[in-house]
Amino acid sequence: MRLRNKPWAQDKLDAHPEYVPQEAEQFRGKWQTRFEKAQPLHIEVGSGKGRFIVEMAKAHPEINYISIEIQTSVIVSVLELQLEAQLPNLQILHADGRNLNQYFEPGEVSRIYLNFSDPWPKKRHEKRRLTSADFIKQYEEILVADGEIHFKTDNQGLFEYTLYSFSQYGIKLKQVWLDLHHSDFEGNIMTEYEEKFSSKGNRIYRLEAYFDN
Ligand code: SAM
């Protein structure tokens, strides 16, 4: 994600605690209190500018969503979309996805979306990939027993790595798409990266996975 310096971004996030909670660890185990209705909770780690999660929240009022993004100057774009949409089923968490268990109790989350995660192609950066073992461990901790991870990317190397990493961990694949945009998958909501890279002709890979506990 190319960074534009937005010195005002933190102030804007701070001005909207109704959507971007401060000291968000206090909501561990209590996220449902932040939404209009108590209903299944889906989170996206690394939302970028937030188009996917905002459109998902509009399309699925029966689900509560949390957009998680580490970069201040990026997550402020999610807030801007939410200020326009004012969705009662969307919250924004400014945090590092590496620490998910500080923010969520075991079994608090029903589904995790990972979209076009940074590939970190160098072997020495493997631990930064959102589908590496330390992240998976967090996902396993916070997901309900039949919870799922939905992942998509245009990066073949990251997709292959994810298949490897998930199988090493013992995660089961529910379904795999090797060319999402030329498949019969219905209801795909494109992310900003997906739009950019698919318009260049890149193939989009997708998988759904679950822990076989
Ligand atoms: N999902 C968006 C899309 O498809 O358009 C953004 C993709 S961008 C390549 C990856 C995003 O993940 C960046 O905005 C980055 O800041 C965020 N990210 C990377 N590591 C993260 C982490 N550990 N926790 C939260 N967000 C992270």
Side-chain angles (χ1 to χ4, degrees):
M1 177 75 48
R2 195 144 47 99
L3 271 185
R4 222 169 273 145
N5 193 20
K6 295 181 183 168
W8 44 268
Q10 187 60 52
D11 287 346
K12 188 155 188 175
L13 295 173
D14 291 345
H16 291 283
E18 73 281 22
Y19 294 132
V20 191
Q22 290 168 0
E23 295 171 26
E25 289 94 336
Q26 66 179 301
F27 295 107
R28 185 177 188 269
K30 301 183 194 123
W31 281 101
Q32 295 293 353
T33 64
R34 303 226 12 128
F35 295 96
E36 200 173 82
K37 288 185 234 161
Q39 45 192 14
L41 181 60
H42 294 184
I43 66 173
E44 182 187 25
V45 184
S47 289
K49 293 182 178 169
R51 174 171 148 187
F52 172 83
I53 194 121
V54 170
E55 292 305 316
M56 288 293 279
K58 284 182 190 165
H60 298 283
E62 75 286 2
I63 304 289
N64 288 335
Y65 291 92
I66 299 179
S67 164
I68 302 172
E69 169 58 52
I70 196 169
Q71 293 187 68
T72 313
S73 58
V74 176
I75 200 168
V76 75
S77 299
V78 188
L79 174 62
E80 283 167 344
L81 291 179
Q82 171 63 331
L83 288 173
E84 260 179 48
Q86 306 214 358
L87 299 164
N89 60 334
L90 176 63
Q91 288 282 306
I92 299 166
L93 174 55
H94 185 201
D96 187 342
R98 192 175 287 284
N99 306 322
L100 287 178
N101 62 4
Q102 291 176 16
Y103 297 96
F104 299 97
E105 240 177 33
E108 194 170 6
V109 174
S110 300
R111 185 176 297 173
I112 298 172
Y113 288 101
L114 304 171
N115 292 317
F116 296 78
S117 309
D118 294 319
W120 294 108
K122 291 186 179 142
K123 176 76 186 153
R124 69 170 193 276
H125 291 147
E126 177 182 349
K127 282 184 167 237
R128 298 184 189 178
R129 298 177 196 151
L130 295 190
T131 52
S132 59
D134 290 350
F135 281 95
I136 296 174
K137 195 163 172 284
Q138 304 263 321
Y139 305 152
E140 184 178 28
E141 275 180 45
I142 66 168
L143 274 174
V144 292
D146 60 348
E148 295 181 1
I149 301 173
H150 292 193
F151 171 71
K152 58 183 173 175
T153 181
D154 69 317
N155 188 296
Q156 185 180 350
L158 182 65
F159 195 71
E160 287 171 356
Y161 169 78
T162 299
L163 292 173
Y164 168 79
S165 176
F166 280 13
S167 71
Q168 285 290 101
Y169 200 92
I171 302 182
K172 298 276 186 267
L173 293 175
K174 189 173 155 195
Q175 213 172 333
V176 171
W177 291 259
L178 295 178
D179 191 356
L180 181 67
H181 290 189
H182 298 101
S183 74
D184 55 7
F185 183 86
E186 285 177 12
N188 184 45
I189 289 181
M190 284 216 261
T191 77
E192 283 90 353
Y193 268 64
E194 185 171 359
E195 179 142 307
K196 180 170 163 195
F197 291 114
S198 63
S199 72
K200 290 183 179 169
N202 291 10
R203 215 201 291 188
I204 307 301
Y205 302 88
R206 186 179 191 280
L207 66 78
E208 295 180 359
Y210 61 98
F211 294 92
D212 192 18
N213 295 319

